Amino acid sequence: MSATILYERGEYSAADAHGEGDDLWLGLDDLRAATGWELKPEGACLGERCVPIPHGRDAEFVREGGRRFNLAALARLLGNPIARDDRHGVWAFGEAPAARNQALRSLDAPDFTLPDLDGRMHSLADYRGMKRILMAWASW
Amino acid sequence: MWQGLYQELKDRNFIVIAIALDSCGADAVRQWIRATEPTPPPMLELMGWGERERAAAGAPTYPCLIDEKHVVAELYNIVNVPMAVWIDERGHIVRPAESAGACDAFRKLNLADFSIPPDAAAQAKAARTAYFNAIRDWVINGEKSAYALPDNEARGRIAGLSEQDARANTLFRLGQYLFAQGHREDALKYLGEARRLRPDSWAIARQSWEIEEAGKASGPDFWAAVQALGDRPYYPPAKL
């Protein structure tokens, strides 16, 4: 079966995903494409950062001889909230509050890229070297 | 209305970047950015816009970006509008998200005839003026400005997210995604749950109401929720 994975800012459709209750088993290619995480001998790795699979809990994270990985188990380990809609097979993985709070308190302004009315993309970084006021408003 | 301030300061290496938090995208915000109808004067008065800003009003020439997924709200922990963040030349935050010149004067609006008591209009104008003067001071004096907060002070003002807040943000994302895919009824379930988990985020509450029904974000549910605040502020005043 398929699943749509909302991870960080991305949206990814995995054709061969197994959602089983609170668990989401993905092939390693889908795992990498949806989230950037890879399964390596040292554990689950995102770039340079590796998280070892907790001792004695392999079956919770890996199956089919290491060909499938449980993304939901990793999210629980890292403190990422999960919200899912079984009817449409959509899994949303949120940010761990500790990570967001650490980022907020670093006072480094996180970059983002968004369109204007004409569809032209702008990043915060395009205006580096200027004093910038981000002003949030809404039509509602 | 920010256009007047931007015009005044734009040659001093300063820019306003407006972020519209709107799940309905460009169509929802176009008429506000490129206004064809002027905003009614009482509304302007209630928002604290004086003669000076009104005279200098016009279509914005600063970037007006559309944030359908509320990405910036999540990154900067923005929970209401208007809120703003000040970022210096190096990309360092000198004032984290806070009310951007708005205040609770709007709560004194007489809903029966939409009249505005004079003291409310004066209060709104004072808050707006003080905030804009703080921006002027920072743009001219840079890090020497008293309004550019030292790191400790800026950090101290960041409330941070609880686990429940983070869970609400995740449900909100799921709901917005389903709404964008046309699964409105399913979306409402998650959006409502997000609203219940994070009642202090007016951005979540009002956006989800608006998805439920156009106009609901400023309808009876909104006013009832504002009333329920009692002595607590809707716009915590920016501590200038």
Side-chain angles (χ1 to χ4, degrees):
Chain A
M1 64 187 139
S2 65
T4 301
I5 297 158
L6 313 180
Y7 195 91
E8 303 211 321
R9 298 327 318 169
E11 297 170 8
Y12 179 81
S13 178
D16 179 30
H18 296 185
E20 297 169 10
D22 290 337
D23 297 322
L24 179 63
W25 294 95
L26 299 174
L28 299 188
D29 289 345
D30 279 339
L31 175 72
R32 191 185 316 110
T35 68
W37 286 91
E38 296 178 87
L39 185 61
K40 291 186 175 173
E42 49 271 54
C45 300
L46 181 69
E48 298 292 294
R49 176 189 178 203
C50 288
V51 179
I53 306 298
H55 187 68
R57 287 168 61 187
D58 281 2
E60 205 183 307
F61 288 81
V62 183
R63 74 182 187 195
E64 293 172 36
R67 286 196 297 275
R68 242 176 228 285
F69 187 84
N70 184 359
L71 177 58
L74 178 66
R76 286 191 288 269
L77 185 68
L78 300 175
N80 302 111
I82 304 172
R84 68 172 202 270
D85 179 70
D86 289 335
R87 188 155 151 212
H88 300 98
V90 183
W91 292 67
F93 294 88
E95 247 189 337
R100 172 50 42 210
N101 290 337
Q102 197 182 4
L104 284 167
R105 291 187 180 120
S106 75
L107 301 177
D108 293 330
D111 199 22
F112 55 84
T113 303
L114 291 169
D116 63 20
L117 268 186
D118 302 314
R120 203 160 68 92
M121 303 305 281
H122 300 249
S123 295
L124 178 68
D126 296 344
Y127 302 96
R128 205 175 169 80
M130 303 177 89
K131 292 191 184 75
R132 291 157 279 184
I133 287 194
L134 288 187
M135 194 268 292
W137 69 287
S139 67
W140 29 263
Chain B
M1 296 293 148
W2 284 68
Q3 178 62 17
L5 182 78
Y6 174 62
Q7 275 295 344
E8 177 190 327
L9 298 172
K10 72 180 170 57
D11 295 330
R12 295 178 179 268
N13 210 27
F14 167 71
I15 197 159
V16 174
I17 303 174
I19 312 284
L21 305 175
D22 258 288
S23 301
C24 296
D27 292 337
V29 301
R30 183 170 281 111
Q31 58 161 332
W32 293 90
I33 297 176
R34 295 182 187 153
T36 46
E37 302 264 326
T39 310
M43 179 82 107
L44 294 173
E45 201 183 344
L46 200 59
M47 291 156 75
W49 298 112
E51 298 289 330
R52 184 175 170 186
E53 290 87 4
R54 280 186 244 176
T61 53
Y62 51 83
C64 294
L65 312 185
I66 300 154
D67 187 1
E68 289 187 41
K69 297 178 186 169
H70 294 224
V71 170
V72 171
E74 192 164 339
L75 287 175
Y76 289 87
N77 203 19
I78 288 168
V79 295
N80 204 347
V81 292
M83 282 180 83
V85 179
W86 296 14
I87 300 166
D88 74 8
E89 294 87 338
R90 297 172 299 126
H92 190 72
I93 294 172
V94 296
R95 294 188 75 91
E98 63 188 344
S99 305
C103 72
D104 274 16
F106 79 95
R107 294 170 70 176
K108 295 179 185 156
L109 178 73
N110 183 337
L111 288 174
D113 62 2
F114 291 98
S115 63
I116 303 158
D119 66 318
Q123 190 194 349
K125 194 170 175 184
R128 174 76 58 195
T129 304
Y131 187 72
F132 273 29
N133 284 341
I135 294 176
R136 289 185 180 99
D137 190 87
W138 174 54
V139 172
I140 291 164
N141 297 310
E143 62 190 21
K144 289 192 206 80
S145 166
Y147 302 105
L149 301 176
D151 287 357
N152 283 347
E153 175 65 22
R155 261 185 214 113
R157 292 187 182 195
I158 294 170
L161 266 77
S162 67
E163 291 200 9
Q164 188 167 314
D165 295 337
R167 179 152 175 73
N169 288 354
T170 310
L171 286 158
F172 184 66
R173 173 119 199 256
L174 177 63
Q176 278 192 312
Y177 175 82
L178 291 169
F179 171 68
Q181 296 299 307
H183 307 303
R184 194 171 160 280
E185 288 307 311
D186 295 294
L188 294 182
K189 195 169 64 182
Y190 302 111
L191 294 172
E193 211 175 320
R195 195 165 62 219
R196 277 188 296 279
L197 282 180
R198 202 173 181 195
D200 64 337
S201 172
W202 292 95
I204 288 180
R206 298 188 68 201
Q207 177 69 82
S208 62
W209 278 327
E210 199 64 15
I211 286 174
E212 263 179 67
E213 192 187 324
K216 195 169 175 180
S218 43
D221 289 79
F222 167 68
W223 286 103
V226 170
Q227 205 122 62
L229 285 170
D231 292 338
R232 288 173 297 147
Y234 177 81
Y235 288 120
K239 280 187 284 176
L240 296 173

